[in-house]
Amino acid sequence: MNTYYYVHTGHRIGLDRFRRACTIMRLLKDEDITLLCSDFRIAQVASEFGVEKSVGIDVVRNIPQISHNGDKIIFDSDEANPIMLDEMRKYFSKFIRVTDNKDDKKENGEFLVSPYLNEADVCNVVVIDDKYFEKEEKTIELSFFFGDDDYDKQFEKNFSLLDGLNPDLLLGFYYFFDYEDMLKEKFKNNHEFEDYDNVIKKSKILITASPQAALENLASGGKPIYIQRKDYSRDSQELFKKLNIPTVENYENRQLLTILEGLYNHEYYKVEHNSNYLKEFIKENLNL
């Protein structure tokens, strides 16, 4: 009987789920778990994120080509419809699903990890790696991270968002070479994808369209401002309201500047550090 972790990732949806998956995989580093990614490129470099075993499988329907009936899985994706999810609950002997949807419900035959639900067989946590709770000196006054994906070059189309500002730029994983070159020309203070952790932890203020990056910067003692992308789910909105993370809509420069002007007196709420609780929940319910 094998244990798997499937995560939906790719050049059109970014790495937020992948970073969350790697956090959980590192918590379970003593267990034999194989990470299944819907993108081959990130699967090839997963070892750099502390994941020993990873396989690219292209699409969610290829999971049975790797696994067997009765295996166990952690599932982080919104690709599957209710029928497919029901089939998976029956196919796997243990099924843990990670969700961001505040309207989601726990179904029979599964366990849930959710920042919203608080009931039996649900682990009510925000998944953030331990390293972001280790406070470091903030040496970057203002940084901007659009995200790891920008296939349609939305950032380029909305440069006016940052008018009047001069942030450090953190580049994304799935950017095209010519796009990276152009961004480096425009933003003299830029950081490569490999500097992600350093930028997130050392930024006093982080402007970002990545929900996971916003949460990680908050945990590290920073002041994140979230940019709601039009092509991204709004599932994080309720959580950000709870944590009092400001949100900018429609790439509005004036709204962003107003938030920045009031940030000194803005009170962020603490995000809980619950990695031990999460670890024990998963190990207990996967019988690891």
Side-chain angles (χ1 to χ4, degrees), residues 28-94:
L28 303 171
K29 61 181 181 296
D30 295 331
E31 306 295 339
D32 185 12
I33 302 175
T34 300
L35 182 66
L36 306 179
C37 303
S38 53
D39 177 73
F40 291 94
R41 181 180 169 191
I42 196 64
Q44 291 175 343
V45 299
S47 60
E48 299 174 14
F49 294 81
V51 177
E52 292 186 7
K53 297 167 64 177
S54 59
V55 179
I57 64 168
D58 191 26
V59 294
V60 65
R61 287 193 176 275
N62 286 342
I63 292 177
Q65 296 182 15
I66 301 291
S67 62
H68 296 88
N69 194 314
D71 284 342
K72 299 177 282 189
I73 195 169
I74 303 170
F75 185 80
D76 190 349
S77 169
D78 59 4
E79 300 163 278
N81 60 41
I83 294 176
M84 186 186 301
L85 283 173
D86 190 53
E87 292 174 349
M88 294 180 74
R89 295 183 193 103
K90 296 173 182 176
Y91 180 84
F92 290 100
S93 61
K94 297 290 184 179

Side-chain angles (χ1 to χ4, degrees), residues 15 19 37 57-58 61 67 78 111 127-129 143 167 180 198 205 212-213 226 230 238 241 243 253 258 263 286:
L15 293 181
R19 294 185 191 281
C37 303
I57 64 168
D58 191 26
R61 287 193 176 275
S67 62
D78 59 4
F111 300 92
V127 181
I128 302 175
D129 197 280
S143 63
E180 278 197 3
N198 187 60
I205 300 172
Q212 193 65 24
Y226 182 62
K230 295 179 181 179
E238 289 299 317
K241 289 178 183 177
L243 296 171
N253 171 256
T258 299
L263 211 55
L286 286 183

Side-chain angles (χ1 to χ4, degrees), residues 167-284:
D168 282 28
L169 175 69
L170 176 60
L171 297 164
F173 181 76
Y174 290 106
Y175 287 6
F176 304 104
F177 287 120
D178 62 334
Y179 195 33
E180 278 197 3
D181 292 341
M182 182 274 291
L183 291 174
K184 288 178 181 178
E185 283 291 321
K186 188 169 182 64
F187 296 87
K188 299 304 179 183
N189 294 329
N190 57 76
H191 304 265
E192 299 291 344
F193 160 79
E194 291 79 7
D195 295 327
Y196 177 91
D197 283 347
N198 187 60
V199 174
I200 298 302
K201 291 191 287 186
K202 294 191 174 183
S203 293
K204 289 183 180 180
I205 300 172
L206 173 70
I207 303 169
T208 182
S210 161
Q212 193 65 24
L215 292 168
E216 290 164 353
N217 179 253
L218 178 62
S220 73
K223 296 183 176 182
I225 300 172
Y226 182 62
I227 308 299
Q228 178 63 60
R229 287 174 56 163
K230 295 179 181 179
D231 62 334
Y232 264 31
S233 165
R234 301 182 66 87
D235 285 344
S236 298
Q237 285 294 321
E238 289 299 317
L239 177 60
F240 287 176
K241 289 178 183 177
K242 179 180 177 181
L243 296 171
N244 213 21
I245 296 176
T247 297
V248 175
E249 300 278 356
N250 301 315
Y251 306 108
E252 286 289 341
N253 171 256
R254 184 65 256 172
Q255 186 183 12
L256 174 59
L257 294 179
T258 299
I259 291 171
L260 285 167
E261 289 168 2
L263 211 55
Y264 180 80
N265 295 316
H266 185 82
E267 181 183 359
Y268 289 83
Y269 301 144
K270 181 180 179 182
V271 61
E272 297 295 328
H273 186 186
N274 287 320
S275 57
N276 287 333
Y277 171 52
L278 173 61
K279 178 181 177 180
E280 292 307 312
F281 176 87
I282 293 175
K283 293 187 71 170
E284 177 181 349

Side-chain angles (χ1 to χ4, degrees), residues 68-166:
H68 296 88
N69 194 314
D71 284 342
K72 299 177 282 189
I73 195 169
I74 303 170
F75 185 80
D76 190 349
S77 169
D78 59 4
E79 300 163 278
N81 60 41
I83 294 176
M84 186 186 301
L85 283 173
D86 190 53
E87 292 174 349
M88 294 180 74
R89 295 183 193 103
K90 296 173 182 176
Y91 180 84
F92 290 100
S93 61
K94 297 290 184 179
F95 186 78
I96 294 180
R97 186 162 57 89
V98 184
T99 179
D100 294 310
N101 187 341
K102 69 179 180 63
D103 297 319
D104 215 339
K105 297 179 181 179
K106 194 201 81 67
E107 303 293 344
N108 291 332
E110 70 174 6
F111 300 92
L112 278 187
V113 175
S114 166
Y116 297 117
L117 301 178
N118 193 1
E119 58 187 70
D121 297 331
V122 177
C123 185
N124 178 234
V125 299
V126 178
V127 181
I128 302 175
D129 197 280
D130 290 342
K131 60 189 172 186
Y132 297 109
F133 290 91
E134 300 169 359
K135 300 298 188 292
E136 295 190 17
E137 182 183 359
K138 299 291 187 273
T139 56
I140 302 174
E141 290 291 330
L142 178 67
S143 63
F144 180 82
F145 176 56
F146 189 69
D148 282 301
D149 65 302
D150 192 10
Y151 187 85
D152 298 319
K153 298 186 178 180
Q154 289 192 49
F155 178 29
E156 181 181 14
K157 297 171 186 175
N158 294 280
F159 278 155
S160 60
L161 169 70
L162 301 178
D163 283 353
L165 305 174
N166 184 31

